Amino acid sequence: MKQVYSSISEARVLPELIRLDDNLIAAKFFLMKLLPAKFILERALKNGDINEDTVVLESTSGTFGLALALLCNQYNLKLILVSDPAIDVHLNNRLIELGAVVDIVTEPAAVGGYQAVRLERLASYRQQHPNHFFPAQYENKMNPGAYAFFAEQLISAFGSIDILVGSVGSGGSMCGTLRALRAIHPQTMGVAVDSNMSMLFGRPDGGAKRIIRGLGNSLMPQNLDHSVFDQVHWLNASEIATATRTLHKTHGLYCGPTSGAAFKVARHLATLYPEKRVVFICADEGYRYSETIYSPSWWQENNIVESERQAKAPRCISEPTMDVQDWSYLPWQRRSLAEVLEPTSAVSTA
Amino acid sequence: MNTAQQEQRPQATAERAVVHSQTHIGHGAAPCHHGELLQGIFEESNGKETLGLVTLLHSSAKAKATFIPDPDSLSLTVSPTYKLKALSSVKLTLQELGLPDMGGHLICASCISEELGLGSSTADVVAAARAVCDANQRTLSRETLARIAVCAEVASDPIMFESSTVLFAQREGHIIEEMGPLIPAMSLLSFTLGEPIRTCDYRAPQYSWEDLQQFKPLRGLLRFALANYDLATIARVSTHSALINQKHVPKPKFDAVLSIAEQGGALGVQIAHSGNIVGMMFSPDDHNLLERVSLCQGRLADIGVYQSAFHSTF
């Protein structure tokens, strides 16, 4: 074990493994996106795809941008991030302080919203800077590939784990970790947690109504391989916010909402299967959410309630499109999205 | 030694005798190995990617070497005369000891089959270095021995590390990681697949980043298995490593061997990645060990592997 690290990215790239119960383990990252960002950038540096004049370009309003900013600062690389007004002011300040240029698009496109304008802006930067590097977290196979480091850490500590639970955004962490774990233990169960306002697993997209950021998406990332999951769970905003604060109240882990959502499902599975070892992913810390998830006034403004009526266990559904507003889950059984959405046609072609 | 010369230069002989008064005939030995448990490309703590391996030590067969210092000669000789790597190990060791002018004769006696990937030449090299040290009543660290071995050969297995399990950079001669305690004893059914590969002819595979990532969980699993003295898990690691190797340096009939091992109740399979030796791994505590082994031997004969030997690594 190293005692002195050469950089923040080296020191904080892997999570701390914290046992919350006999069979429930939190994998608590400082900033999970450091792992893929570091892997992608450092390999590009090694291969000579990046030189001192290269401009790194990415479209992001979240933690992948922060990870890139930390690394580009460390390696003295120019970084341009294209973002939209949803970016929070503290993150924006931090990115700028680390030396990134943050270009915030102001007007959404009639078709495709902010995302379309962001991609358009990104394309023009790519043209403007022929010597650029585009990490492309949503389609770069090195994003999931980077999580072999995490799988090594889990296997080194536990030998095997039975159930891995995590929220899904780009698909990188869950798909990459599961693939690496299953190279050795194919039976490892993969459980995805999504927002009930997200289209990632076949529900209608809630768009701006998806008030909790970090899990779910309005676009389908290429890196999301649905067929790695054994179960998919959907949670509503109140359930996610409550679980995030419960994680803090009961275990002192001050994390973001993706962690809270994963914790809720993981705790349920750990209780249900006391003989199984359950690991869940805490992808970031809670400080970014002090004015949202951890703020009583935000709860009021958004009608977030810690209701006694919140479901103690998920309702099992057979189709993602079923109109269920509370915690629900679907036995996904490692099928593709098409197979889940149209089970009959998949059977008939088989 | 030339008697006529000695008579002509009595003075010189006397001086050398004083210089070498601390020397006597030195003996050294080194174990062979039975291929590897894990071989691939690994990240070092400084981020560098290095070819590395974890050897399966096999102490029952040893290479022995005797070094006879010759105070009258500046030259170094070896018998059998083709053991040139062992001879070069003598030169390197003498340099390391600050005795570059010492002459002498090295006798290698080894019962290790050559070119099977059992590390016969590394064993000669290490035994020779130890014999030279013994002759001069000096010792060298395991790390220095490793460096000498890699200099004397192109690549070397870490057989000089006999008290712990190391992930070793076989072409650079340093430890990538101290993995844990020694590998627990096991029973091995060993045989060969395909033609022998000479170490100097072996070319390391070109690993992609996907390959690099594949070795990470295996490295983690080996760390876990060693810490828990878990032979079955160690066998899983070696089987996986052999499977990855099939993509790069395929061994004939390997799939058939794997299914024989699986059906025959072996814990797993391990190979010499740069040789043709293969081992089916069994728990020595298995009550049905002999039945299982003879079953596997029979099935191996069915696929044309007639010669196999059963032994233990302890």
Side-chain angles (χ1 to χ4, degrees):
Chain A
M1 192 60 89
K2 269 201 177 184
Q3 299 201 332
V4 179
Y5 297 97
S6 63
S7 64
I8 178 76
S9 69
E10 187 194 17
R12 305 305 299 274
V13 72
L14 284 177
E16 292 151 317
L17 303 176
I18 303 161
R19 197 184 290 281
L20 304 188
D21 211 332
D22 288 345
N23 64 334
L24 180 63
I25 289 123
K28 188 185 175 300
F29 284 91
F30 158 73
L31 178 65
M32 184 180 74
K33 298 283 187 181
L34 263 181
L35 184 56
K38 188 174 165 67
F39 185 60
I40 291 169
L41 277 191
E42 288 182 353
R43 287 222 57 96
L45 282 162
K46 257 179 217 167
N47 296 345
D49 298 336
I50 291 181
N51 59 31
E52 56 195 4
D53 299 319
T54 303
V55 181
V56 179
L57 300 171
E58 183 63 286
S59 162
T60 169
S61 58
T63 50
F64 191 67
L66 179 57
L68 286 177
L70 281 167
L71 286 158
C72 288
N73 177 284
Q74 178 186 331
Y75 288 111
N76 244 329
L77 294 169
K78 291 178 212 69
L79 172 66
I80 300 176
L81 297 171
V82 181
S83 192
D84 61 43
I87 188 170
D88 79 77
V89 60
H90 305 295
L91 176 63
N92 191 13
N93 290 343
R94 231 186 129 181
L95 295 173
I96 291 166
E97 185 141 297
L98 287 166
V101 173
V102 186
D103 184 1
I104 299 175
V105 301
T106 48
E107 292 297 322
V111 182
Y114 281 118
Q115 190 71 21
V117 189
R118 270 163 57 170
L119 293 178
E120 214 171 277
R121 186 71 57 89
L122 189 70
S124 84
Y125 275 120
R126 291 171 75 172
Q127 225 163 18
Q128 221 175 79
H129 301 280
N131 180 3
H132 69 259
F133 180 78
F134 178 38
Q137 68 154 333
Y138 291 104
E139 59 239 41
N140 191 337
K141 292 287 163 232
M142 284 193 187
N143 171 7
Y147 289 87
F149 286 93
F150 177 40
E152 174 187 343
Q153 183 194 19
L154 290 175
I155 289 173
S156 181
F158 302 113
S160 69
I161 65 164
D162 301 302
I163 305 177
L164 180 73
V165 184
S167 300
V168 175
S170 73
S173 60
M174 284 302 285
C175 298
T177 311
L178 281 169
R179 253 181 241 134
L181 289 173
R182 285 179 186 162
I184 294 169
H185 303 292
Q187 70 282 17
T188 302
M189 190 171 150
V191 178
V193 186
D194 196 7
S195 151
N196 68 344
M197 295 285 175
S198 152
M199 48 70 78
L200 286 180
F201 290 92
R203 285 181 72 91
D205 180 31
K209 283 192 285 179
R210 187 160 48 84
I211 53 171
I212 291 184
R213 310 301 297 222
L215 70 167
N217 210 323
S218 299
L219 285 172
M220 189 62 77
Q222 271 180 40
N223 272 331
L224 175 53
D225 173 4
H226 297 81
S227 68
V228 304
F229 295 106
D230 295 279
Q231 280 185 12
V232 174
H233 289 244
W234 291 272
L235 297 170
N236 66 37
S238 290
E239 287 164 338
I240 295 169
T242 305
T244 307
R245 296 188 68 174
T246 305
L247 181 60
H248 184 222
K249 277 189 236 173
T250 54
H251 299 289
L253 297 187
Y254 190 64
C255 300
T258 55
S259 315
F263 165 64
K264 185 177 178 75
V265 173
R267 188 183 50 179
H268 163 71
L269 292 171
T271 314
L272 203 60
Y273 306 109
E275 76 292 355
K276 304 258 190 217
R277 186 180 287 122
V278 183
V279 175
F280 70 97
I281 297 176
C282 298
D284 66 349
E285 304 204 293
Y287 304 102
R288 275 185 72 202
Y289 312 94
S290 56
E291 284 164 27
T292 54
I293 305 285
Y294 291 101
S295 149
S297 57
W298 180 85
W299 279 53
Q300 274 174 2
E301 286 157 27
N302 290 282
N303 294 320
I304 302 288
V305 283
E306 187 174 354
S307 162
E308 286 301 311
R309 288 184 293 109
Q310 265 185 26
K312 295 270 186 293
R315 184 177 346 158
C316 182
I317 59 175
S318 55
E319 287 162 36
T321 45
M322 283 170 78
D323 186 27
V324 183
Q325 296 312 313
D326 298 335
W327 184 9
S328 59
Y329 87 101
L330 195 148
W332 198 270
Q333 294 166 332
R334 302 195 188 183
R335 288 173 292 171
S336 71
L337 183 58
E339 283 168 331
V340 170
L341 293 178
E342 289 177 65
T344 45
S345 72
V347 168
S348 64
T349 52
Chain B
M1 200 186 299
N2 187 318
T3 332
Q5 268 181 4
Q6 208 175 19
E7 283 169 3
Q8 280 167 6
R9 302 175 57 206
Q11 189 77 31
T13 311
E15 277 167 20
R16 289 227 177 134
V18 172
V19 171
H20 295 298
S21 62
Q22 294 304 306
T23 63
H24 60 107
I25 294 175
H27 300 283
C32 72
H33 63 81
H34 198 278
E36 293 80 33
L37 292 178
L38 178 62
Q39 179 163 332
I41 185 161
F42 303 94
E43 211 157 56
E44 304 204 47
S45 59
N46 61 6
K48 193 173 160 250
E49 288 150 22
T50 307
L51 295 172
L53 52 79
V54 176
T55 286
L56 177 55
L57 275 185
H58 187 35
S59 308
S60 64
K62 278 193 158 63
K64 289 179 183 166
T66 304
F67 182 64
I68 308 161
D70 179 357
D72 299 322
S73 169
L74 288 171
S75 71
L76 293 165
T77 50
V78 64
S79 61
T81 47
Y82 70 92
K83 300 260 186 189
L84 295 175
K85 287 176 178 177
L87 185 63
S88 119
S89 165
V90 172
K91 282 182 196 149
L92 290 162
T93 309
L94 287 171
Q95 272 165 22
E96 194 67 44
L97 295 174
L99 302 163
D101 296 330
M102 181 179 273
H105 182 64
L106 181 77
I107 302 163
C108 291
S110 167
C111 55
I112 305 170
S113 311
E114 289 166 17
E115 293 185 3
L116 289 181
L118 296 174
S120 59
S121 66
T122 307
D124 286 333
V125 161
V126 174
R130 285 178 170 160
V132 171
C133 288
D134 185 44
N136 292 286
Q137 288 164 315
R138 301 267 298 273
T139 50
L140 289 175
S141 68
R142 307 183 305 170
E143 286 77 7
T144 308
L145 280 178
R147 219 166 4 96
I148 289 172
V150 172
C151 274
E153 307 188 80
V154 183
S156 155
D157 274 72
I159 56 167
M160 59 297 290
F161 298 88
E162 289 178 77
S163 55
S164 64
T165 300
V166 297
L167 178 58
F168 183 72
Q170 73 269 27
R171 284 165 185 259
E172 299 175 21
H174 64 258
I175 295 176
I176 298 172
E177 181 186 337
E178 281 276 359
M179 299 285 293
L182 278 178
I183 295 154
M186 67 183 84
S187 299
L188 271 181
L189 177 60
S190 57
F191 50 93
T192 59
L193 286 180
E195 296 303 309
I197 305 171
R198 283 170 39 181
T199 308
C200 48
D201 293 339
Y202 174 77
R203 282 174 186 270
Q206 289 291 312
Y207 293 113
S208 66
W209 72 264
E210 283 97 339
D211 294 321
L212 175 78
Q213 295 300 82
Q214 266 196 312
F215 289 111
K216 292 200 161 78
L218 283 183
R219 182 177 177 179
L221 191 61
L222 186 56
R223 224 180 267 141
F224 174 86
L226 288 169
N228 291 282
Y229 302 97
D230 180 348
L231 186 60
T233 303
I234 289 171
R236 289 185 77 158
V237 173
S238 68
T239 306
H240 271 275
S241 180
L243 273 170
I244 294 174
N245 191 65
Q246 278 302 98
K247 288 199 308 185
H248 302 288
V249 195
K251 297 204 184 311
K253 300 178 185 171
F254 185 74
D255 290 344
V257 165
L258 259 193
S259 71
I260 292 172
E262 215 165 278
Q263 289 161 18
L267 296 174
V269 172
Q270 58 81 222
I271 60 167
H273 293 68
S274 54
N276 61 348
I277 199 92
V278 179
M280 280 190 193
M281 301 159 74
F282 295 86
S283 163
D285 305 326
D286 189 336
H287 293 303
N288 301 318
L289 182 60
L290 294 179
E291 287 155 46
R292 288 190 205 280
V293 168
S294 69
L295 178 78
C296 289
Q297 277 179 314
R299 301 276 318 273
L300 282 171
D302 293 343
I303 62 163
V305 178
Y306 300 107
Q307 295 211 329
S308 55
F310 179 59
H311 49 101
S312 295
T313 58
F314 50 93

